[in-house]
Amino acid sequence: MKHIARKRFGQHFLTDGAMIEAIVDAIGPKPGQAMVEIGPGLAALTQPLVERLGQLTVIELDRDLAARLRAHPQLVVIESDVLKVDFAQVAQALTAAKLRVVGNLPYNISTPILFHLLNFIDVIEDQHFMLQKEVIDRMVAGPCTAAYGRLSVMLQWRYAMENVLLVPPESFEPPPRVNSAVVRMVPHVNPVAVDGHLLSELVQVAFSQRRKLLRHTLGQWLQEQAYADSFDVQRRAEEVPVAEYLALALKLATHSQPASH
């Protein structure tokens, strides 16, 4: 029975054989590696991946698809919303120090998934995701570009990222109205040790009105934090490199700790 793509799950199924092969080659699965696929759908990537790996864990929300996938002897199926999955527990269940995570992420919740995975970065070796090209442009963007924003800063803090492949709409059924691409995300070995919540809040404030100078947003927020050190707020949020946001978050954290008596 043919599975009809469900709009509410943002389903677009990859059907182009040559493109599937190119994506699997970019991922480079090796026998025995602990890999988790998010949203396997009709198993277009799943089958060639499991052929190289021997076994694969998949996370699928759609009940009908999960049932179909369970019939595959080499798949471990987690029927769940990926935002509720504890990847540390998955690694433990697979007795793996690190997981390789892959997937064709649903366009409507790709950003929440990326932020959810940040919580489990310690058990992740690398991530390969197919996403809307526009989202990947934002992930890898440098300062002083229109695509540079909160997503760029938060993800570049923890990962080295590159856009490895362009996937045109005609590779899918039904074809989406946008270009897709595949991003490779490798966690930094020694990321700057900042408080993620503080950094997130700071960056959110900075980019809340991206056309205005920072003195209207971040400048006022820093005053509220009673931050006395200097920071150039006569710029726009997109002009500040990732390293400067990280340095500011570090200074704020040490500054807000009560002095010991």
Side-chain angles (χ1 to χ4, degrees), residues 143 148 153 156-157 192 194 231 240-250:
Y148 183 70
V153 177
Q156 288 174 33
W157 160 44
V192 179
V194 303
F231 186 80
V240 181
V242 174
E244 279 195 52
Y245 281 118
L246 296 177
L248 179 59
L250 275 178

Side-chain angles (χ1 to χ4, degrees), residues 164-241:
V164 288
L165 207 59
L166 181 70
V167 188
E170 54 271 22
S171 304
F172 298 90
E173 193 57 53
R177 285 200 278 275
V178 292
N179 275 316
S180 303
V182 175
V183 67
R184 176 178 294 131
M185 309 171 70
V186 181
H188 291 307
V189 181
N190 295 310
V192 179
V194 303
D195 175 340
H197 294 292
L198 177 63
L199 180 67
S200 178
E201 190 181 344
L202 183 159
V203 174
Q204 208 155 1
V205 171
F207 283 97
S208 61
Q209 301 178 44
R210 54 183 302 149
R211 288 186 176 75
K212 289 192 171 179
L213 292 179
L214 283 171
R215 63 188 162 91
H216 298 289
T217 51
L218 190 61
Q220 290 179 354
W221 184 81
L222 288 171
Q223 279 178 333
E224 285 160 23
Q225 313 297 315
Y227 179 74
D229 225 324
S230 63
F231 186 80
D232 178 9
V233 291
Q234 298 298 348
R235 307 177 273 181
R236 292 190 173 84
E238 65 192 46
E239 296 175 76
V240 181

Side-chain angles (χ1 to χ4, degrees), residues 75-107:
L75 297 182
V76 175
V77 181
I78 300 171
E79 188 181 326
S80 170
D81 173 350
V82 65
L83 297 177
K84 298 194 174 105
V85 173
D86 180 327
F87 283 82
Q89 282 181 348
V90 175
Q92 215 172 350
L94 294 171
T95 62
K98 302 262 181 177
L99 301 171
R100 302 192 67 198
V101 185
V102 300
N104 171 10
L105 298 191
Y107 292 161

Side-chain angles (χ1 to χ4, degrees), residues 39-53:
L42 296 178
L45 283 175
T46 313
Q47 190 51 40
L49 284 172
V50 81
E51 280 167 15
R52 297 202 202 180
L53 292 160

Side-chain angles (χ1 to χ4, degrees), residues 115-187:
F115 280 119
H116 178 63
L117 283 162
L118 265 176
N119 302 317
F120 304 102
I121 197 163
D122 295 341
V123 296
I124 290 172
E125 184 182 325
D126 61 11
Q127 297 173 172
H128 288 81
F129 294 130
M130 182 153 43
L131 295 157
Q132 235 168 305
K133 180 180 176 293
E134 178 205 344
V135 175
I136 294 179
D137 289 344
R138 281 168 36 212
M139 291 163 71
V140 302
C144 302
T145 61
Y148 183 70
R150 175 172 170 250
L151 196 62
S152 328
V153 177
M154 293 306 295
L155 293 179
Q156 288 174 33
W157 160 44
R158 299 306 307 263
Y159 301 96
M161 294 180 291
E162 57 176 322
N163 179 344
V164 288
L165 207 59
L166 181 70
V167 188
E170 54 271 22
S171 304
F172 298 90
E173 193 57 53
R177 285 200 278 275
V178 292
N179 275 316
S180 303
V182 175
V183 67
R184 176 178 294 131
M185 309 171 70
V186 181

